[in-house]
Amino acid sequence: MTGVPAEATNPIIRWEYLVDEWDQIQTALVQHIELTLLAVALGLVVAAGLATVALRKRWTAGPITALSAFLYTIPSVALFAMLVPYTGVSRTTAVIPLVGYTLLVLITSILIGFRSVPPAVREAAEGMGLSPARRALTVELPLAVPYIVTGIRVAMVTTVGLVTVAAIVGQGGLGRLILDGLRRTFWTPMMVGASLSILLALTFDLVIWAIGRALTPWARAAHQSGKHGARAARAGRTRP
Amino acid sequence: MTGVGWLAQAGVRMDIGLFEWLFDAGTWTGADGILSSLADTVRLCVAVVVVATLLAVPLAAALAHVGKGELAAPWFVNVGRAIPTFAVAGLLVPISLRWGYGFEPWPIFIALTLLAVPPIFLTTYTAVKGVDPVVVDAARGMGFSDRHVLLNVELALGLTVILTGVRVAAVQVVATEPIRAFLGGNGLGRYVRDGLGQNNDSLVLGGAILVAALALLTGLAFTALERLVMPRGVRRLGRGRDRRSGEDHEPDASARRAAQAVDPVGSLRTADSGLQ
């Protein structure tokens, strides 16, 4: 192939590129983060809706899960590609499959979270006269948080990886750097794109884990009870 | 160098219809045909799953047998999930070229293997760990050697759970393999790539349908395998003890939970039945 540098003289990293193309790298990183957050946020909204239906009307749980499981099995390359004839090379083409892929994990974690609430707790809340909606939000949801947070972590990390694949339909943030580098046999953008997306996945995982930890102080301070339990537990965490 | 694969595009008319393309005999045969691309994909996926199984099962079984790696198993799976396969394969391409191995197949092979190992590792580890200690003690009391206990008791009883891990890994591998077409290789993903490159929607859709069909078939094939072959095997291996104790030789709840951790659908099925 003409224009392809001889491999021996083609450096894996050209440091000048990092300086010269900093704007491009930054844009790709920001787009990657935006796409990931957008997809997971939309996925969470859809999953919350579907999970609510599944919890209210028991018979819908099977079909809803089966459908999201079916979506999850479709290869990413195929799903992105299938939409191109309809939505073109646009952000929509990237976001629809990304949202679809988050559903299985999110719906499952919400359902398992709510179903893990001990019946005694539910009955106690009922006995205290809480309405079903209030009971779900103030009693069951907090207890389901650890499961849901785990679901969000998995969804986030998976989405970071899938966004790179969205580069094949012209989106994809850091994935575009990988693809462009490959096309031009210019390894620097490729190395930058690949390592940043791995780092991004690990960072998201850590951040969501930390948020989940902060949201459920009682999980680490189960012995503390009473009105100030949560606050005391939060204060206790700062001690060595 | 076979590299720069995406420049080699299948010669297809621009105005061809989806079904016209899919049902044309010429589409299926020849060096660029669907059959040869399918064989390419299947070969790679089988190799990946076999290698991942050979890596993960002995390691996980040995660790679980001696009771080490309590913390390693979940860590392993989390890190495995965090690895974006496309990025890892991309990272490996320059290295592979530098060492003279070309675009293919090592980068995608390694990246897919990294994807496949965690679910198999986790299910094997917890399946072996989850075998009832009473059963292990009984086997030892009967004079089973360490190796015997591991092979004929712990692994035999955990087989169904391990196979769940292999299924999850295989489906993920088949579903991810098409990115190979965008990394300088071919395989079944090539039609999507060529179609995108040529602005040919029929080719894109046709390729996407083929890729999706293969992933679905893989899942179905493994489910059938789990239902048909494995229970018979486990039953045969556990028959002697079954008659006497009448006990259920399914790996215990913790192993099942592990299988569910890598298989969200399965976990929901169990969550359902648990409440009904």
Side-chain angles (χ1 to χ4, degrees), chain A residues 174-188:
Chain A
L174 298 165
R176 277 204 69 79
L177 293 183
I178 303 177
L179 215 52
D180 287 346
L182 207 56
R183 254 175 209 152
R184 294 150 56 194
T185 32
F186 177 24
W187 304 136
T188 312

Side-chain angles (χ1 to χ4, degrees), chain B:
Chain B
M1 190 159 60
T2 54
V4 219
W6 41 52
L7 296 180
Q9 292 170 340
V12 177
R13 274 188 4 254
M14 270 305 292
D15 58 340
I16 197 164
L18 169 60
F19 293 103
E20 197 187 339
W21 180 74
L22 265 182
F23 294 123
D24 183 62
T27 307
W28 289 78
T29 52
D32 287 342
I34 293 172
L35 290 178
S36 103
S37 304
L38 177 69
D40 223 14
T41 290
V42 170
R43 250 197 314 270
L44 180 67
C45 291
V46 168
V48 166
V49 173
V50 168
V51 169
T53 308
L54 290 179
L55 284 175
V57 171
L59 184 67
L63 280 177
H65 181 71
V66 299
K68 292 250 168 71
E70 217 49 85
L71 294 168
W75 177 84
F76 211 72
V77 172
N78 279 332
V79 169
R81 271 181 179 148
I83 294 174
T85 309
F86 189 58
V88 172
L91 209 61
L92 292 172
V93 166
I95 298 167
S96 169
L97 284 175
R98 174 59 48 91
W99 289 352
Y101 292 108
F103 277 87
E104 273 248 285
W106 293 110
I108 186 75
F109 178 84
I110 295 170
L112 288 177
T113 306
L114 285 177
L115 179 75
V117 162
I120 305 176
F121 182 92
L122 181 71
T123 47
T124 308
Y125 186 85
T126 32
V128 170
K129 196 108 207 168
V131 170
D132 191 345
V134 175
V135 177
V136 176
D137 279 349
R140 284 193 202 284
M142 286 167 66
F144 276 35
S145 70
D146 228 28
R147 202 171 60 106
H148 223 57
V149 168
L150 181 60
L151 286 181
N152 293 355
V153 179
E154 291 173 330
L155 276 180
L157 294 180
L159 218 50
T160 38
V161 180
I162 296 170
L163 203 64
T164 309
V166 179
R167 165 168 58 86
V168 172
V171 172
Q172 279 178 358
V173 166
V174 171
T176 312
E177 191 267 356
I179 62 168
R180 172 189 184 190
F182 295 86
L183 289 162
N186 275 314
L188 214 49
R190 63 175 302 169
Y191 305 104
V192 171
R193 175 200 66 208
D194 293 347
L196 287 172
Q198 298 167 15
N199 261 325
N200 188 334
D201 288 351
S202 298
L203 207 51
V204 171
L205 270 180
I209 290 170
L210 291 171
V211 161
L214 185 64
L216 289 174
L217 278 177
T218 307
L220 288 177
F222 265 93
T223 311
L225 192 71
E226 272 165 60
R227 287 204 186 139
L228 289 173
V229 182
M230 281 314 153
R232 209 178 299 152
V234 171
R235 237 177 285 137
R236 196 184 60 233
L237 288 159
R239 199 181 288 151
R241 285 182 303 279
D242 272 335
R243 235 185 288 138
R244 242 162 288 165
S245 64
E247 255 182 47
D248 179 16
H249 279 295
E250 270 257 298
D252 85 345
S254 72
R256 234 173 288 139
R257 265 199 304 277
Q260 289 154 9
V262 295
D263 183 16
V265 196
S267 70
L268 199 81
R269 238 181 268 134
T270 318
D272 267 339
S273 60
L275 282 165
Q276 276 159 6

Side-chain angles (χ1 to χ4, degrees), chain A residues 10 15 24 26 30 35 57 104 120 172-173 176 182 191 227:
Chain A
N10 188 3
W15 297 104
Q24 204 196 332
Q26 210 178 2
V30 169
L35 268 173
K57 303 242 182 298
L104 177 64
R176 277 204 69 79
L182 207 56
M191 299 307 264
K227 212 169 145 192

Side-chain angles (χ1 to χ4, degrees), chain A residues 89-170:
Chain A
V89 175
S90 65
R91 177 170 257 204
T92 320
T93 309
V95 170
I96 293 173
L98 291 174
V99 171
Y101 286 128
T102 63
L103 293 183
L104 177 64
V105 174
L106 292 177
I107 290 176
T108 314
S109 64
I110 296 174
L111 290 184
I112 291 179
F114 273 82
R115 284 171 183 176
S116 74
V117 175
V121 172
R122 201 172 291 143
E123 280 156 25
E126 216 169 316
M128 285 169 69
L130 296 186
S131 68
R134 218 180 128 88
R135 195 182 67 207
L137 285 178
T138 61
V139 178
E140 295 176 29
L141 181 62
L143 290 173
V145 160
Y147 295 90
I148 299 173
V149 167
T150 309
I152 296 175
R153 273 175 71 187
V154 176
M156 278 281 202
V157 167
T158 316
T159 307
V160 170
L162 288 167
V163 167
T164 57
V165 180
I168 68 168
V169 290

